[in-house]
Amino acid sequence: MSVDPTVTIDFFINGVPCTAHDGETVIQAARRAGVSIPHFCWHPNLSVPGNCRICMVEVESDNGDPWFDIGCNMPVTAGMRVLTESETVKKLRRDTMQFITLNHPVDCGICNKSGECLLQDYHYEHNGRPSLSIDRKNHATKFYALSDRIMLDNERCIMCTRCVRFTNEVSKTHALGAVHRGDHSLIRPAENADFNEDVYSDNVIDICPVGALLSRENLDHARVWYTKATPSVCPGCSRGCSIDVWHRKPEWALKALDPALNARIERVTPRENPEVNGPWICNKGRDLAKIWERPRATTALVGGTPAGLDEAVERASAIVAAASRGVVLVSSWGSNEELAALHHVLQDKLASRFTARVKADHAPQPGELLEDDILIMADKNPNRRGALALFTPLEGDLPAALVGADVVLVWGEGVADADLPSTARVVRLGSYAHEAALRADVFLPISIQTERNGHYTNAQGVVTAFKACFEPKGDVVHAEGLFQALAGNRKALQRVLAGAVS
Ligand code: SF4
Ligand code: SF4
Ligand code: FES
């Protein structure tokens, strides 16, 4: 049933007057009113199967005979008086919890979902009793490979069917289904589909209300309560989905084990953003560690030889000062703040001698889905729109654009040495270990997204913030401060040197 927010309906929840939008169900209206009704099978972005019954509510009637129904499938009507915490409702919930856990192993101690599991939360909130059953529980496969990325613990599944509906309604791969009946039901890949080909498959890990669907990549990495989520933006394409980057809390830093684990990305999950990605992201967003955790460049180089940061910045600014036809190749992975800093320096100090062109730092990888009508966009750079708001795009091929240049300042990735004029002096600002750094006249190591705060503007014009998760290491500095120093600003140079780690 569609919801019409322009038509409102007055009703009551637990005696408090509330307003629903026409077409809303009790659970939807209650959520907007800040009243939580437990739910397993219901998900705000999926259809309503009404199969778990945990959302049962009481509706008072004028003749004194209340009636009971599931709040996720009951439309609000004018004057309706809903009770979500009556004694009868509480008893029904307890009984439903007993039923749902009849065959559930309750192995929270070894479950990756522990700490963020609806079944665990609702047990403490709405049940609190051990199982009353004296029957032996059904057993099923504990590790069933649903795909190369996802494992299914059949015993923990409560058959809410959220995962099945996700593949039918959101990713539209129809890759999952249920086989067998009753308490022998199992989630299985559909016969004519391959769940490996669902590029949104990992969303089922988040929406599974229990620990039945787990990431094989992140299995047993870290308990959720040892980690925290830092809000960020996926740089995987110009959609710029909102994400949470999960990493170890400083107060739970590992001391005896490899300290590198304290700066590891434990997982990436979607952060709901109705303007951009809703509650979903694609699997490339889940795999950002593959991009961000590539070997880093943390040392400044002059002529391919390690040098002090102060010497390297001095040499680079001397090259910039001597340029008569310089070109800056602008990163489309730079933040709006960094782009503004570069723009200011070019306007203020270098306008007569330098031009700037926006390049693509990343191109689609072989085999990567180019675009679709869900989220994925063809441009694999997160902030080209932000860059194009200040600079002109690179048209045609790179060598043609650089004819006559005597200095090229390359910010970020995506530029091969072969594309640079052999007669030009080259200053590179980069983050990852690459042989191109060795061949530049000066290489300066700069921070990556997980080490700084900033904003990106996505292809639709939505501006989203990202926050730092980790401290930069070695000589790594922020590009935002570096541009002023490269233009010969001594105070900016002192600030850059003071801000560098080593
Ligand atoms: S695997 Fe999870 S999401 Fe799928 S039906 Fe079972 S409990 Fe629900
Ligand atoms: S659609 Fe693009 S921005 Fe969103 S998660 Fe996938 S790669 Fe990242
Ligand atoms: S949440 Fe309503 S029946 Fe499952």
Side-chain angles (χ1 to χ4, degrees):
M1 189 169 174
S2 62
V3 174
D4 181 356
T6 62
V7 181
T8 56
I9 298 170
D10 295 329
F11 76 119
F12 298 86
I13 303 180
N14 301 326
V16 178
C18 293
T19 304
H21 296 152
D22 187 39
E24 271 186 332
T25 57
V26 168
I27 206 168
Q28 288 175 311
R31 245 164 103 89
R32 283 198 308 98
V35 177
S36 162
I37 297 175
H39 52 277
F40 288 120
C41 67
W42 182 78
H43 185 283
N45 300 86
L46 298 175
S47 61
V48 180
N51 64 27
C52 76
R53 320 308 281 180
I54 193 71
C55 64
M56 197 68 75
V57 295
E58 180 173 343
V59 181
E60 293 178 303
S61 70
D62 291 337
N63 66 11
D65 287 336
W67 49 285
F68 298 86
D69 206 343
I70 50 174
C72 68
N73 200 33
M74 180 166 43
V76 175
T77 55
M80 183 184 240
R81 301 195 300 273
V82 178
L83 301 177
T84 66
E85 299 299 330
S86 70
E87 287 310 311
T88 317
V89 167
K90 287 179 181 173
K91 178 176 183 313
L92 288 170
R93 272 182 205 154
R94 280 197 299 273
D95 293 347
T96 305
M97 287 298 293
Q98 285 288 338
F99 179 73
I100 289 175
T101 49
L102 268 185
N103 287 302
H104 188 89
V106 200
D107 54 348
C108 309
I110 56 162
C111 179
N112 263 54
K113 195 86 169 190
S114 189
E116 53 181 13
C117 169
L118 275 188
L119 189 66
Q120 198 177 43
D121 292 347
Y122 290 169
H123 170 75
Y124 289 112
E125 205 176 334
H126 304 295
N127 185 16
R129 299 173 301 171
S131 174
L132 303 178
S133 170
I134 54 169
D135 295 322
R136 192 171 167 275
K137 290 181 189 255
N138 284 346
H139 289 292
T141 321
K142 290 293 284 179
F143 188 114
Y144 179 87
L146 209 51
S147 72
D148 294 343
R149 302 176 62 93
I150 298 172
M151 66 153 275
L152 163 65
D153 184 323
N154 295 273
E155 291 187 341
R156 295 183 191 146
C157 173
I158 60 168
M159 270 295 150
C160 71
T161 70
R162 281 185 182 191
C163 55
V164 176
R165 282 174 283 137
F166 175 85
T167 67
N168 289 339
E169 298 163 16
V170 180
S171 66
K172 298 196 169 61
T173 56
H174 307 275
L176 297 178
V179 297
H180 308 316
R181 300 182 62 185
D183 60 358
H184 292 285
S185 300
L186 298 169
I187 296 298
R188 285 290 178 269
E191 264 181 24
N192 300 323
D194 182 354
F195 199 32
N196 282 312
E197 287 175 8
D198 188 329
V199 293
Y200 294 91
S201 66
D202 289 20
N203 290 292
V204 301
I205 298 167
D206 305 326
I207 64 173
C208 178
V210 296
L213 295 174
L214 299 169
S215 161
R216 297 176 68 178
E217 174 72 22
N218 300 331
L219 202 60
D220 303 330
H221 263 200
R223 287 303 205 176
V224 297
W225 51 87
Y226 293 141
T227 63
K228 70 174 192 175
T230 296
S232 195
V233 181
C234 175
C237 78
S238 56
R239 175 75 62 188
C241 293
S242 293
I243 53 171
D244 280 322
V245 178
W246 293 80
H247 50 97
R248 209 164 180 89
K249 290 176 182 167
E251 61 270 35
W252 285 107
L254 298 165
K255 297 192 174 66
L257 297 176
D258 182 356
L261 295 175
N262 296 323
R264 178 173 76 172
I265 295 168
E266 298 294 352
R267 61 178 175 157
V268 174
T269 55
R271 185 162 44 87
E272 183 149 5
N273 184 343
E275 274 188 291
V276 178
N277 52 299
W280 319 119
I281 56 172
C282 80
N283 289 350
K284 182 179 183 182
R286 309 270 173 177
D287 294 340
L288 287 173
K290 287 183 187 159
I291 295 176
W292 284 328
E293 292 184 349
R294 286 176 289 161
R296 292 291 301 281
T298 57
T299 307
L301 305 172
V302 172
T305 305
L309 186 61
D310 48 352
E311 181 197 346
V313 178
E314 293 271 16
R315 294 285 284 269
S317 62
I319 291 171
V320 169
S324 55
R325 286 193 64 191
V327 177
V328 182
L329 296 176
V330 180
S331 172
S332 43
W333 283 54
S335 68
N336 287 345
E337 292 78 0
E338 291 169 327
L339 291 160
L342 174 64
H343 187 252
H344 177 74
V345 166
L346 286 173
Q347 295 273 301
D348 196 35
K349 300 253 182 338
L350 305 173
S352 59
R353 295 184 292 113
F354 271 82
T355 54
R357 294 286 179 269
V358 178
K359 64 178 168 59
D361 288 37
H362 281 221
Q365 296 299 298
E368 179 178 357
L369 178 62
L370 190 63
E371 59 186 326
D372 64 16
D373 57 4
I374 303 175
L375 291 176
I376 298 170
M377 304 194 87
D379 180 3
K380 305 304 176 190
N381 300 280
N383 203 21
R384 196 196 294 261
R385 181 155 176 170
L388 292 179
L390 298 174
F391 304 102
T392 46
L394 182 65
E395 307 278 9
D397 70 340
L398 189 52
L402 296 178
V403 168
D406 60 350
V407 169
V408 184
L409 197 154
V410 184
W411 173 20
E413 300 182 271
V415 177
D417 279 329
D419 290 333
L420 300 175
S422 56
T423 52
R425 308 205 69 191
V426 175
V427 175
R428 279 187 184 265
L429 275 54
S431 303
Y432 297 99
H434 193 280
E435 58 188 20
L438 297 170
R439 292 203 287 267
D441 291 275
V442 179
F443 173 82
L444 297 167
I446 54 169
S447 56
I448 61 171
Q449 188 185 323
T450 53
E451 295 163 346
R452 53 190 157 86
N453 299 331
H455 295 79
Y456 291 145
T457 306
N458 81 350
Q460 302 149 299
V462 180
V463 177
T464 313
F466 58 83
K467 302 273 181 213
C469 314
F470 309 118
E471 290 290 329
K473 293 199 167 49
D475 284 341
V476 171
V477 290
H478 301 305
E480 188 177 344
L482 202 50
F483 295 127
Q484 284 280 356
L486 291 178
N489 182 324
R490 304 290 309 176
K491 281 189 182 159
L493 174 59
Q494 294 311 317
R495 281 198 298 271
V496 168
L497 296 177
V501 175
S502 61

